[in-house]
Amino acid sequence: MSSDLVEMYRRMVLIREVEQTLVRLFAEARVPGFIHSYIGEEASAVGVCSALPTDSYVTSTHRGHGHILAKGGDLRPFFAELFGKASGYCRGKGGSMHVTDLDLGILGANGIVGAGIPIATGAALASRLQSLDRVAVSFFGDGATNIGVFHEALNMASLWQLPAIFVCENNGYAEFMAQGAHQRIERISDRAAAYVMPGVTVDGNDVEAVHAATAEAVERARAGGGPTLLECVTYRIRGHYEGDPEPYRTEDEIDRWRTRDPLAIAAERLRRRGSMDDATDERIRLDARVAVEDAVAFAEAEPLPAPQDALEHVYAGRLEEGWPWDG
């Protein structure tokens, strides 16, 4: 497992470098829109995606950079999208909260809380109807487990024994509200019992624990055993969004979670096993910095979308003659 952990650590370091770079670029007003940082949650995305077959489907969230990168996303179109450039994954029209790559099985990040849950359930249903064994995974936060489509989707997935994995990244807060203020339960995985499916809670900052739990859920799903609700208990070190004043939590709380940094946990484990030394660690981090610097330079040099293409590659219909409100 050490060789697998090296690769998972490498991917987590890359995601951390990407997120730290985006925080800086946003502060310098070099990227438009909002940034919801994934710093502190890297083990969740990497642990899940490293255990998925390559043809798996994934639906993501407004905090979705880590998901597409963990599944093998290309840094150049990724950064181009966040810069609003025509060579971006969504041709510059999606931005940070909507990065999508259908070729990777990423069915879309989504700014609407919980909206990816029924999409992943639909993908799992399509897999079943086509007699495929493709697994569909939905990432979402603790707040999303309070909305209707969460319960509707889990009920349907259980009823039809769909190959779905519902991954709750429980970072302790639904936007600005602590979990204890919006739920009576402590373990979100307990909600699985109502739908007669396995509910598993793991340390979301331990990438190997997440990987192992996901691998078991994948095996069950592909064998016809139905869905799993996987809760990854983690923490976002940054605010809900960049610029969030964070009056709802204390620095002491953040500092306590910094001691559970998923990158530090993995690095220490690799050193104990003799699978990584300081020189190797520095090389991994340097490789990540070089790759990110290359992607940023590429994105900044790319052109913006042409104004005449504003209605191309979007879901809204295009009118041939004028607009409904003309005249």
Side-chain angles (χ1 to χ4, degrees), residues 2 18 22 46 50 58 63 94 144 147 173 175 178-179 181 199 205 217 227 245 249-250 319 324:
S2 291
V18 166
L22 285 172
V46 173
S50 64
V58 169
R63 198 179 310 282
I147 67 173
Y173 288 91
E175 293 188 342
Q179 182 193 354
N205 286 7
R249 61 182 186 174
T250 66
L319 299 175

Side-chain angles (χ1 to χ4, degrees), residues 128 135 161-165 216-228:
R128 170 59 51 79
V135 176
Q161 291 291 276
L162 299 181
I165 304 174
E216 183 177 341
V218 167
E219 183 178 0
R220 179 185 302 111
R222 299 182 81 183
T228 298

Side-chain angles (χ1 to χ4, degrees), residues 194-213:
Y195 305 106
V196 196
M197 70 173 68
V200 181
T201 295
V202 298
D203 179 353
N205 286 7
D206 183 337
V207 69
E208 288 188 307
V210 176
H211 177 96

Side-chain angles (χ1 to χ4, degrees), residues 79 107 119 151 171 200 212 324:
F79 271 101
L107 302 182
I119 296 172
H151 299 278
N171 62 22
V200 181

